[in-house]
Structure formats: C-alpha cells, structure tokens
Amino acid sequence: QVRLVESGGGSVQAGGSLRLSCAASGNTARIQYMAWFRESPNKEREGVAAIDFKGDTRYSESVKGRFTISRDDVNTLHLQMDILNSNDSGTYYCAAGIPGLWFGPVLVEHRYRSWGQGTQVTVTS
C-alpha cells in the first residue's frame, strides 16, 4: 500500500510559477515511476508529466517546455510549473505507477494504481 500526499497548490497570476510536491509513504520500494495528472471542470483527467526511477521523463504537449518533473528520491516527487496560464488551472494529482509498465504511452490513468487526494491550482489572469 502506497500513500501519496500532494502539497504546494495555490493561486497564481498568469505567467507565474508554482512548485508542487508529493510525499510517498508505505510500500514505496516497488515504485518504479510516478506521474502528475490534472483534472478541471468539463475536462477529463489528463496526464501531465511522468518520471521513472532512472530519471527518464515524459510530458504532455500542453506543458512541454514549461513544466519540469523531478524526484528527490523514491519518496518525494516535484512538479515545477512555469509560465502558467488559465488552462493550467485544476486539481493536480500525484500517482505511482504499476510496476513494469514504463513503456509506450505512460501518461494514461490505467498505468497507475496509487493516487493522492489532489492539490488545487488556480491561475488568474
């Protein structure tokens, strides 16, 4: 069982930055990759960025070049978000991947089985 707790959300003006963090606890030894997803009203949950234990990263086209995913260690995940715009508003979720599935399209929900409760990001114009 893995427990994930996000932090760092808040309100920021367009063009600004935020840094999200995710703390993992419990059976973290089997975590091979993690990701950030986001969800907003009238939109399906969207994979934003993912990283595996070797540091290989994946980004959605909508955030590539503006967001950076990183891991301090197996228990701490970050998402640096720069040049934010109103389309980035939403609830951001941290997720831990199902072992052995780091291939192909990894920014899809069914590759992940542990989820945090989410942290809210609001970008104002």
Side-chain angles (χ1 to χ4, degrees):
Q1 191 81 358
V2 173
R3 182 169 181 258
L4 303 172
V5 179
E6 303 92 340
S7 62
S11 182
V12 63
Q13 285 192 327
S17 299
L18 277 176
R19 181 175 170 86
L20 305 183
S21 296
C22 172
S25 60
N27 187 16
T28 60
R30 295 196 67 207
I31 296 177
Q32 296 178 351
Y33 59 97
M34 298 181 73
W36 289 96
F37 285 73
R38 67 184 179 191
E39 190 174 281
S40 57
N42 303 317
K43 288 185 180 180
E44 293 183 355
R45 188 171 294 191
E46 170 194 21
V48 172
I51 186 168
D52 79 341
F53 72 96
K54 296 179 181 177
D56 189 20
T57 57
R58 299 285 190 274
Y59 295 95
S60 68
E61 287 300 317
S62 61
V63 307
K64 195 175 292 184
R66 300 187 298 119
F67 289 14
T68 304
I69 189 170
S70 62
R71 290 175 72 172
D72 288 346
D73 50 45
V74 69
N75 295 332
T76 310
L77 181 71
H78 301 289
L79 184 68
Q80 177 67 39
M81 307 186 294
D82 299 316
I83 319 176
L84 287 160
N85 60 61
S86 58
N87 291 326
D88 297 318
S89 294
T91 302
Y92 282 70
Y93 298 90
C94 170
I98 299 172
L101 295 185
W102 181 259
F103 62 90
V106 297
L107 290 175
V108 291
E109 287 187 69
H110 65 259
R111 297 281 180 105
Y112 300 84
R113 66 180 173 194
S114 298
W115 296 83
Q117 292 301 305
T119 186
Q120 183 67 36
V121 171
T122 302
V123 183
T124 60
S125 56

